[in-house]
Amino acid sequence: EAGVAQSPRYKIIEKRQSVAFWCNPISGHATLYWYQQILGQGPKLLIQFQNNGVVDDSQLPKDRFSAERLKGVDSTLKIQPAKLEDSAVYLCASSPRTSGRGDEQFFGPGTRLTVL
Amino acid sequence: QQQVKQSPQSLIVQKGGISIINCAYENTAFDYFPWYQQFPGKGPALLIAIRPDVSEKKEGRFTISFNKSAKQFSLHIMDSQPGDSATYFCAARSSNTGKLIFGQGTTLQVKP
């Protein structure tokens, strides 16, 4: 079974520039998550999708961050404009949520963003 | 705000020793407590998890001990190996929102 795919793996941008991250979840997984992991901290949930719909985006800085999930499969996370404090690893995760094994979240390798 | 506090921040253990990582939570509205293992350049991977109606769960060398009254849970790694060197995160899932709240992480180094 293929895992969660993310691209790019690394991105370096100047502050005030825009950046987008892409995630392809495990096939058939209904729920998709985007997390921000700042160096030395645990992942923090930014947004959760159930199929096409947003379940929780309470910690997404909506003035600069946006996310969408296309046709309930792939997802993109965008930052516009980026700030220095956005430097972090952005993790995508997915979970089945429709079966008895729905508790486990499967994480991708992440995209490491550096804002200069 | 719901929080999960994890300690220690870093841990060095000799090969064959026992590694112990502790977590405490402040809110009782959690229904699932997983531990994740993360290697450099990789995403976190589920290691072992427990529900609050159980006081202990063991899988191979990994054991979770859960104390509901104290709102604490811990990960014990028996016979620690150099391959266990990684960052470990505890987490708690809100029964209200389903959101996972992660601890700050513990970097474990197992010396040969």
Side-chain angles (χ1 to χ4, degrees):
Chain A
E1 178 180 76
V4 176
Q6 290 188 246
S7 67
R9 292 296 314 277
Y10 305 92
K11 191 73 177 179
I12 301 174
I13 62 173
E14 300 280 338
K15 60 182 179 183
R16 291 187 289 274
Q17 285 187 324
S18 302
V19 65
F21 312 126
W22 173 82
C23 173
N24 179 238
I26 293 173
S27 177
H29 279 197
T31 305
L32 185 146
Y33 312 81
W34 282 103
Y35 289 86
Q36 181 191 57
Q37 185 176 20
I38 293 173
L39 186 65
Q41 298 182 19
K44 183 185 81 171
L45 180 69
L46 292 176
I47 188 167
Q48 176 182 342
F49 292 94
Q50 182 83 20
N51 297 312
N52 285 343
V54 175
V55 174
D56 185 346
D57 63 356
S58 58
Q59 297 194 85
L60 186 73
K62 298 178 186 66
D63 58 333
R64 298 183 300 105
F65 286 65
S66 65
E68 62 179 359
R69 190 174 184 194
L70 306 173
K71 299 180 180 179
V73 182
D74 292 5
S75 178
T76 57
L77 176 69
K78 297 179 181 178
I79 308 175
Q80 180 180 10
K83 293 185 176 181
L84 296 177
E85 58 261 35
D86 298 332
S87 294
V89 174
Y90 291 85
L91 295 163
C92 179
S94 69
S95 72
R97 293 289 276 201
T98 56
S99 72
R101 297 176 59 249
D103 293 319
E104 181 174 357
Q105 294 184 23
F106 297 82
F107 284 82
T111 296
R112 180 176 297 277
L113 173 67
T114 302
V115 182
L116 302 176
Chain B
Q1 184 179 354
Q2 297 177 340
Q3 281 192 342
V4 177
K5 296 183 179 180
Q6 184 172 344
S7 64
Q9 187 174 359
S10 62
L11 182 61
I12 299 175
V13 173
Q14 290 294 128
K15 178 182 176 181
I18 302 174
S19 304
I20 302 175
I21 304 170
N22 300 298
C23 283
Y25 58 98
E26 300 178 344
N27 192 301
T28 57
F30 290 129
D31 63 358
Y32 173 71
F33 300 86
W35 283 89
Y36 281 84
Q37 180 187 55
Q38 185 175 28
F39 292 103
K42 305 289 186 182
L46 180 67
L47 187 63
I48 186 173
I50 197 169
R51 297 187 184 277
D53 54 346
V54 176
S55 61
E56 184 174 284
K57 183 174 182 180
K58 183 176 181 179
E59 291 183 359
R61 296 185 294 109
F62 302 92
T63 300
I64 299 178
S65 297
F66 187 83
N67 186 329
K68 189 174 182 178
S69 61
K71 297 180 188 176
Q72 294 176 349
F73 58 110
S74 60
L75 175 69
H76 295 235
I77 305 175
M78 311 299 289
D79 187 26
S80 298
Q81 300 296 312
D84 297 330
S85 297
T87 300
Y88 293 81
F89 293 95
C90 63
R93 187 182 70 183
S94 168
S95 57
N96 298 325
T97 66
K99 182 186 299 186
L100 273 182
I101 310 296
F102 284 84
Q104 299 91 327
T106 296
T107 301
L108 170 66
Q109 181 183 359
V110 181
K111 291 194 168 183

